[in-house]
Amino acid sequence: MYTHTTNVISSGKPLAETGKALILVHGRGASAQSILDLANYLPVQDYTLFAPQATTNSWYPYSFMAPEVQNQPALDSALEQLDALVKSILDQGVKTENLYLGGFSQGACLTSEYAARNATKYGGLLLFTGGLIGEQLVATRYKGDFAGTPVLITTGDPDAHVPVSRVEETVAVMEKLGAVVTKKIYPGRPHTILQEELDLASKLFQ
């Protein structure tokens, strides 16, 4: 089993100029560069963009709904990498309400898990086909107050990796923590990101 080495790529204007950041987390088998390309479809020209790179191109080895022990220590290491990146951005003077986090598939799962464990007033969460991690959810892990943070969460029905039931559970947890959630389920949609999802995500930046 593996842990992750710190490897983050960034693009856009310097953080000292923008004061606003978007972290994008790639999916299984993908790369930091590939998820950064998603920013070309979002109104984030005035944001500094960050994308962490998973060791072996995967944040954890098995399904996000596998028994958690099977995904350790990679999962905890991945959460630590994301936490370190968030803290480094905040340490540079960015307010949490000017910090956005997003991801696709495995990256959306990791993003949702991190955010729910560290709920605060974020700018927004973009969760493209993902949900909270674990065979069963451990409610006591999810702490803080999203304080009205807008959240977009999507999936296909059916999706080969993310069941609608877990998306529904994730929505319930996040709403209990004070998020304002927009949920979209797309019948028969393949495991991808549709233009409509990008249009909805763009609204979070307005």
Side-chain angles (χ1 to χ4, degrees):
M1 301 295 278
Y2 54 85
T3 56
H4 300 279
T5 55
T6 301
N7 184 6
V8 178
I9 63 173
S10 62
S11 66
K13 300 172 185 175
L15 199 55
E17 289 183 28
T18 65
K20 298 182 291 187
L22 168 61
I23 298 172
L24 290 169
V25 186
H26 69 77
R28 187 187 301 274
S31 68
Q33 187 58 59
S34 68
I35 195 72
L36 268 188
D37 292 342
L38 193 65
N40 295 327
Y41 304 93
L42 299 170
V44 292
Q45 294 76 23
D46 294 327
Y47 288 73
T48 308
L49 310 176
F50 298 88
Q53 174 65 54
T55 301
T56 74
N57 297 90
S58 179
W59 292 110
Y60 42 85
Y62 297 102
S63 164
F64 81 118
M65 294 183 69
E68 185 179 319
V69 66
Q70 294 182 12
N71 280 320
Q72 297 294 11
L75 175 57
D76 280 351
S77 177
L79 289 166
E80 289 166 6
Q81 292 294 314
L82 191 50
D83 187 54
L85 176 56
V86 167
K87 286 178 177 173
S88 73
I89 292 169
L90 298 180
D91 285 347
Q92 294 177 69
V94 175
K95 297 178 180 178
T96 59
E97 56 262 39
N98 290 324
L99 173 62
Y100 292 71
L101 298 97
F104 171 63
S105 192
Q106 193 186 54
C109 295
L110 187 66
T111 299
S112 62
E113 184 72 18
Y114 174 79
R117 293 189 188 197
N118 300 275
T120 189
K121 175 65 174 173
Y122 296 106
L125 304 178
L126 317 174
L127 307 175
F128 298 112
T129 312
L132 292 169
I133 296 172
E135 188 175 23
Q136 276 89 36
L137 299 185
V138 182
T140 54
R141 285 183 173 160
Y142 306 124
K143 299 171 182 175
D145 183 359
F146 280 123
T149 296
V151 176
L152 173 65
I153 185 167
T154 64
T155 195
D157 184 16
D159 182 87
H161 306 284
V162 181
V164 171
S165 59
R166 179 52 55 92
V167 170
E168 301 280 10
E169 287 180 282
T170 301
V171 169
V173 168
M174 291 193 164
E175 288 183 337
K176 189 174 181 181
L177 292 170
V180 177
V181 182
T182 299
K183 177 191 69 180
K184 291 292 181 180
I185 310 296
Y186 297 96
R189 190 211 66 184
H191 192 68
T192 187
I193 301 174
L194 302 177
Q195 183 61 50
E196 181 184 332
E197 294 170 75
L198 294 168
D199 292 343
L200 289 169
S202 293
K203 294 179 180 179
L204 269 65
F205 296 93
Q206 296 169 358

